[in-house]
Amino acid sequence: MIKFNSPTALLAAVVSFSNANAQTADPAIGRQLAETVCSACHQVGPVPTPQPANSKAPSFVDISRMPSTSELAIKVFLRSSHPTMPNIILDQQETDSIAAYILSLAKH
């Protein structure tokens, strides 16, 4: 077990850990993954392309604009199984990157 001698040391460790986690999310990688893994059902880009196979699947732009959409909500959703989605297994960096990409689309 790690012991911290002061609140400052604890805060420094938390900030360091948070910064390390934040660096794993890359929206560009998220877009590449989305185009490879998700585009069969979802419109993943900000510009409409030919209709995906599953027209009932929401576009990533629409998902990004939902009031309930947050980084945490996307990550939890991607790590949970859903009857209407294939069981896609992503590692933490891939999940973080797709979440970062979806959140970046809210501006479009």
Side-chain angles (χ1 to χ4, degrees), residues 3-84:
K3 286 189 169 188
F4 295 99
N5 295 328
S6 72
T8 305
L10 176 60
L11 179 61
V14 169
V15 168
S16 175
F17 179 74
S18 296
N19 287 340
N21 266 354
Q23 293 174 359
T24 64
D26 184 341
I29 291 173
R31 181 180 181 133
Q32 290 174 344
L33 283 165
E35 288 173 347
T36 303
V37 177
C38 311
S39 64
C41 298
H42 294 272
Q43 175 69 47
V44 299
V47 178
T49 57
Q51 188 69 24
N54 183 352
S55 62
K56 293 182 181 184
S59 74
F60 278 19
V61 170
D62 289 344
I63 293 169
S64 74
R65 293 179 180 161
M66 291 176 173
S68 61
T69 296
S70 67
E71 181 179 13
L72 179 60
I74 294 169
K75 289 178 183 182
V76 168
F77 186 87
L78 290 173
R79 290 184 179 131
S80 305
S81 63
H82 296 85
T84 58

